[in-house]
């Protein structure tokens, strides 16, 4: 059986992790009532917010999570040299027709878009675009290629991606949020990706937000050995809506500075 795949840095530590991963120093703190795990090496950073079962939490807890994630995102924006008049491209990656893969597109639907709105940009808001690139099986175009072209077209100073990722353990399934400037690779959990979305490939800073919506478990049965199998919770559609609202609220707050800009369904 192949090892269970994880896209979470928090699950990569330990004696069995590769040396480059173990080289990332890890620190843990409590902020606004949430445990936050940090890892960094050189110019690459990861923040993992342990949210618990956020979809079962009261509204006040979700709004606290929004404020915390907004603070972390602002720190990444400052680190990338992003100022108030910057151009930001938000990309909601994933398949909106699959509940466990729809958190990116659902988040994108809740982003406050300001590109082309002279009133908001005139008030000092950054120029924000939001796109749902879909998946190559439906569009025929590689996701990374689409985003690179759109970033060039909008003259984006930074790309912010939101995507569902894979966890290795049930403990982390849909109970954490990961924020990183390491970039991401669409379709990596399915092992059929063709392009990464990173600072190097996009020629501009990339900040990625990921939610572990599935656990990948490769089966021994020969009938299924060539295909990855995924496990998720029955109420994944509700969970995806919750995280999409929280992430969108954090992105809107981080980019606008307006605490009133928050999805109504938080």
């Amino acid at each position: 059986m192949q090892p269970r795949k994880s896209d979470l840095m928090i699950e990569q530590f330990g004696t069995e992790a590769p040396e480059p991963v173990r080289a990332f120093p890890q620190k843990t703190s409590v902020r606004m009532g949430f445990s936050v795990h940090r890892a960094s090496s050189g110019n690459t950073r990861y923040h993992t917010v342990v949210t618990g079962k956020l979809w079962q939490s009261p509204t006040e807890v979700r709004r606290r999570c929004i404020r915390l994630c907004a603070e972390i995102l602002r720190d990444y924006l400052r680190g990338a040299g992003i100022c108030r008049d910057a151009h930001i491209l938000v990309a909601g990656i994933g398949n909106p027709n699959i509940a466990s893969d729809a958190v990116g597109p659902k988040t994108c639907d809740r982003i406050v878009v300001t590109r082309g709105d002279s009133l908001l940009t005139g008030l000092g808001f950054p120029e924000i675009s939001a796109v749902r690139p879909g998946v190559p099986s439906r569009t025929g175009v590689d996701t990374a290629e689409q985003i690179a072209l759109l970033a060039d077209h909008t003259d984006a100073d930074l790309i912010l991606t939101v995507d569902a990722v894979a966890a290795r353990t049930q403990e982390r399934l849909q109970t954490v949020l990961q924020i990183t400037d390491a970039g991401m690779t669409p379709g990596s959990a399915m092992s059929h990706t063709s392009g990464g979305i990173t600072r190097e490939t996009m020629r501009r800073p990339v900040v990625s937000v990921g939610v572990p919506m599935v656990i990948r478990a490769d089966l021994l049965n020969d009938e299924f050995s060539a295909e990855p199998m995924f496990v998720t919770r029955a109420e994944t559609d509700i969970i995806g809506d919750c995280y999409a609202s929280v992430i969108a609220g954090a992105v809107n707050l981080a980019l606008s500075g307006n605490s009133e800009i928050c999805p109504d369904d938080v």
Side-chain angles (χ1 to χ4, degrees):
M1 181 180 292
Q2 297 291 326
R4 287 180 176 175
K5 178 177 176 55
S6 174
D7 295 315
L8 300 173
M9 179 56 72
I10 195 174
E11 291 186 329
Q12 300 301 318
F13 292 94
T15 56
E16 296 181 359
E19 285 294 338
V21 174
R22 289 206 303 256
F24 277 64
Q26 181 181 213
K27 297 180 180 179
T28 303
S29 60
V30 177
R31 297 172 58 181
M32 298 188 190
F34 296 95
S35 178
V36 180
H37 298 259
R38 295 171 291 151
S40 62
S41 179
N43 295 324
T44 303
R45 296 184 296 164
Y46 290 83
H47 281 73
T48 305
V49 179
V50 180
T51 63
K53 294 183 178 180
L54 198 61
W55 65 96
Q56 296 178 352
S57 301
T59 298
E60 188 276 329
V61 173
R62 299 188 194 185
R63 290 185 177 270
R64 221 176 339 111
C65 188
I66 287 174
R67 294 196 299 273
L68 171 58
C69 292
E71 281 191 5
I72 295 172
L73 285 170
R74 285 195 200 104
D75 185 52
Y76 278 86
L77 295 175
R78 285 192 295 267
I82 300 302
C83 55
R84 292 286 293 172
D85 59 352
H87 297 182
I88 312 291
L89 176 65
V90 180
I93 295 170
N95 189 335
N97 299 314
I98 299 177
S100 60
D101 196 33
V103 67
K106 287 181 176 182
T107 299
C108 199
D109 290 342
R110 295 164 166 86
I111 296 296
V112 176
V113 174
T114 62
R115 187 170 188 263
D117 190 324
S118 57
L119 176 60
L120 290 177
T121 54
L123 291 173
F125 284 75
E127 188 173 286
I128 304 167
S129 307
V131 297
R132 297 170 46 168
V135 290
S137 61
R138 289 182 172 271
T139 65
V141 183
D142 178 64
T143 302
E145 181 181 353
Q146 280 194 67
I147 292 175
L149 292 170
L150 287 166
D152 287 341
H153 179 71
T154 60
D155 195 25
D157 297 299
L158 178 138
I159 298 170
L160 197 159
T161 69
V162 181
D163 194 12
V165 299
R168 186 172 62 237
T169 64
Q170 184 176 345
E171 177 188 4
R172 302 302 181 194
L173 178 65
Q174 298 166 332
T175 63
V176 300
L177 279 170
Q178 177 172 275
I179 302 173
T180 179
D181 54 10
M184 53 87 64
T185 305
S188 61
M190 295 290 291
S191 302
H192 57 59
T193 182
S194 59
I197 302 171
T198 66
R199 176 187 285 270
E200 291 73 28
T201 60
M202 299 291 116
R203 305 187 308 278
R204 50 182 52 85
V206 175
V207 176
S208 301
V209 182
V211 183
M213 297 296 290
V214 296
I215 299 173
R216 173 173 169 169
D218 294 327
L219 304 182
L220 287 173
N221 189 317
D222 289 340
E223 182 181 353
F224 299 105
S225 61
E227 296 292 335
M229 302 294 290
F230 294 91
V231 177
T232 191
R233 286 188 168 92
E235 64 267 48
T236 287
D237 53 344
I238 297 171
I239 297 170
D241 283 338
C242 170
Y243 279 105
S245 296
V246 167
I247 296 169
V251 172
N252 291 336
L253 179 55
L255 297 180
S256 73
N258 187 343
S259 61
E260 297 302 317
I261 295 181
C262 183
D264 294 333
D265 55 348
V266 169

